């Protein structure tokens, strides 16, 4: 067996120690997400610096299900492909790897076949996402989920870091939220692609230059920008917080009044109106029933080829913006 072509960081994935080490590296997930614009260099750097909070994805049902099923999927792969295991192995190792070419490059593997120098990356398609599974079967890597999250680029980075000869990208889907289904396994294989890896290296080196040299990083459109507040801003936030508390209290009262008002109106309608009598009047009130046409389902028009999206956009009004303030 050839000498290992990467440095193994003896870390348990998911632990705080692993998370801390990741702050000083660029990972496969990060570089892939930057490439597909799922995130940005600014967001990545600010999270590593601790100036922006890292989203806790473990509370997302699809992510939680995938984490719980990963071990079972890996076991099924070991059962289906025992040739991946070396003679002294009972299961596939999941090393955390640091590149020998550049220690800033890191990759945490779902599985690694030492015998064949082959990466195994596991993705579970959420049990409630039949459409995502059908898209994957029909479109492969061009399907929305793998394209959005850059799964192919993730394994390209893993191969770059480890010098692996290839990668197995394993997808699984089962309608059962707990059990796995052997029939719901699809595998895509990849070999190192120097052109794609070169694009990822450019991204990684930008992040490295900013982190290592403590440079400022410019936000991109849509980024959440970290700022230091001023006294004036703090005063306005406190005023907003107090006003919002009053607004919420009045909103509750308003909704109760609105519900009661509608209930009374419905009772009057049942007493005074019918199919032929749609409007009545007294010296105290007028009660009338009116009918309006339903809205137009533009998405359905496009889907049914009644009108193209290009033509529809000719008649679209100029976009407007809204501002939302969320208190913490």
């Amino acid at each position: 067996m050839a000498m290992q072509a990467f440095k193994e960081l003896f870390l348990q994935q998911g632990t705080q120690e692993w998370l801390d080490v990741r702050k000083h590296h660029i990972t496969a997930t990060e570089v892939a997400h930057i490439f597909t614009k799922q995130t940005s260099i600014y967001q990545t750097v600010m999270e590593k610096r601790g100036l922006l909070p890292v989203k806790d994805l473990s509370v997302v049902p699809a992510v939680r299900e995938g984490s719980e099923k990963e071990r079972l999927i890996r076991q099924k792969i070991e059962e289906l492909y025992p040739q991946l295991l070396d003679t002294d192995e009972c299961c596939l190792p999941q090393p955390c790897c640091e590149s020998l070419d550049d220690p800033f490059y890191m990759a945490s593997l779902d599985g690694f076949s030492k015998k064949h120098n082959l990466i195994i990356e596991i993705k579970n398609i959420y049990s409630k996402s039949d459409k995502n599974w059908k898209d994957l079967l029909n479109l492969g890597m061009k399907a929305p989920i793998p394209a959005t999250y850059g799964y192919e680029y993730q394994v390209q980075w893993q191969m770059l870091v480890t010098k692996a000869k290839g990668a197995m990208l394993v997808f699984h889907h089962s309608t059962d939220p707990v059990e796995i289904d052997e029939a719901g396994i699809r595998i895509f294989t990849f070999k190192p692609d120097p052109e794609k890896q070169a694009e990822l290296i450019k991204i990684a080196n930008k992040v490295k230059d900013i982190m290592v040299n403590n440079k400022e990083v410019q936000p991109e459109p849509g980024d959440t920008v970290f700022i230091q507040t001023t006294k004036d801003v703090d005063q306005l936030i406190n005023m907003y917080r107090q006003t919002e508390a009053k607004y919420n209290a009045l909103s509750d009262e308003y909704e109760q009044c609105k519900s009661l008002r509608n209930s009374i109106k419905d009772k009057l309608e049942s007493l005074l109106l019918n199919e032929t009598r749609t409007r009545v009047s007294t010296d105290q009130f007028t009660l009338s029933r009116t009918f309006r046409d339903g809205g137009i389902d533009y998405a359905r028009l496009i889907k049914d080829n009644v009108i193209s999206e290009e033509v529809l956009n000719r008649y679209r009004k100029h976009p407007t913006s809204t501002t939302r303030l969320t208190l913490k």
Side-chain angles (χ1 to χ4, degrees), residues 25-281:
H25 295 78
I26 184 75
T27 70
T29 301
E30 290 167 345
V31 77
H33 284 186
I34 293 171
F35 181 83
T36 61
K37 302 189 183 303
Q38 181 69 15
T39 187
S40 69
I41 288 178
Y42 175 86
Q43 184 82 18
T44 301
V45 169
M46 297 303 272
E47 288 178 356
K48 288 182 182 297
R49 288 175 173 173
L51 298 176
L52 279 177
V54 179
K55 293 180 181 178
D56 183 9
L57 298 179
S58 64
V59 300
V60 178
V63 175
R64 185 169 63 247
E65 179 183 295
S67 298
E68 292 170 351
K69 284 185 174 180
E70 182 184 309
R71 177 181 59 84
L72 297 176
I73 298 169
R74 183 167 42 250
Q75 288 177 350
K76 179 56 67 174
I77 293 301
E78 292 163 352
E79 177 186 321
L80 293 173
Y81 302 97
Q83 64 269 29
L84 293 174
L85 299 174
D86 216 338
T87 52
D88 60 343
E89 292 179 328
C90 61
C91 56
L92 290 168
Q94 303 125 58
C96 296
C97 313
E98 185 180 86
S99 169
L100 295 178
D101 293 336
D102 192 323
F104 190 72
Y105 302 169
M106 179 180 174
S108 300
L109 308 183
D110 293 336
F112 182 63
S113 172
K114 297 178 183 177
K115 184 177 181 181
H116 297 282
N117 195 16
L118 183 71
I119 287 166
I120 294 87
E121 177 65 21
I122 298 171
K123 304 295 182 186
N124 181 69
I125 302 295
Y126 190 34
S127 56
K128 296 181 180 179
S129 298
D130 284 346
K131 183 180 184 304
N132 288 339
W133 179 244
K134 290 176 182 176
D135 286 342
L136 178 75
L137 298 182
N138 292 329
L139 302 173
M141 291 298 101
K142 294 182 180 179
I145 290 296
T148 298
Y149 294 100
Y151 291 158
E152 180 178 354
Y153 292 93
Q154 184 178 349
V155 297
Q156 284 294 337
W157 183 258
Q158 292 169 340
M159 288 186 285
L160 171 77
V161 169
T162 61
K163 296 293 193 295
K165 293 181 179 179
M168 293 172 58
L169 180 52
V170 180
F171 288 93
H172 170 265
H173 176 68
S174 167
T175 54
D176 189 306
V178 177
E179 301 297 328
I180 66 166
D181 180 6
E182 183 177 327
I185 291 178
R186 295 294 182 276
I187 299 175
F188 296 82
T189 59
F190 299 92
K191 291 188 177 297
D193 185 322
E195 290 185 4
K196 291 177 180 176
Q197 291 180 350
E199 293 180 88
L200 299 178
I201 288 172
K202 289 179 183 178
I203 293 171
N205 287 344
K206 286 181 182 178
V207 176
K208 176 185 175 182
D209 182 46
I210 293 167
M211 292 294 296
V212 172
N213 297 304
N214 198 27
K215 290 184 176 180
E216 289 188 12
V217 55
Q218 296 303 315
E220 299 174 19
D223 277 337
T224 299
V225 179
F226 175 80
I227 62 170
Q228 295 286 350
T229 60
T230 63
K231 183 178 180 180
D232 290 343
V233 170
D234 289 339
Q235 288 177 342
L236 288 170
I237 290 296
N238 288 332
M239 288 174 60
Y240 186 92
R241 194 182 299 276
Q242 295 168 8
T243 304
E244 186 180 48
K246 293 179 182 178
Y247 172 84
N248 289 336
L250 291 171
S251 293
D252 290 341
E253 185 177 354
Y254 165 80
E255 290 298 331
Q256 292 172 11
C257 290
K258 182 179 178 181
S259 177
L260 178 59
R261 184 190 68 173
N262 288 339
S263 175
I264 295 169
K265 185 176 64 175
D266 290 343
K267 289 178 181 178
L268 284 169
E269 181 181 6
S270 66
L271 285 171
L272 303 175
L273 302 181
N274 56 38
E275 290 184 4
T276 58
R277 188 167 67 180
T278 60
R279 181 183 177 89
V280 297
S281 183

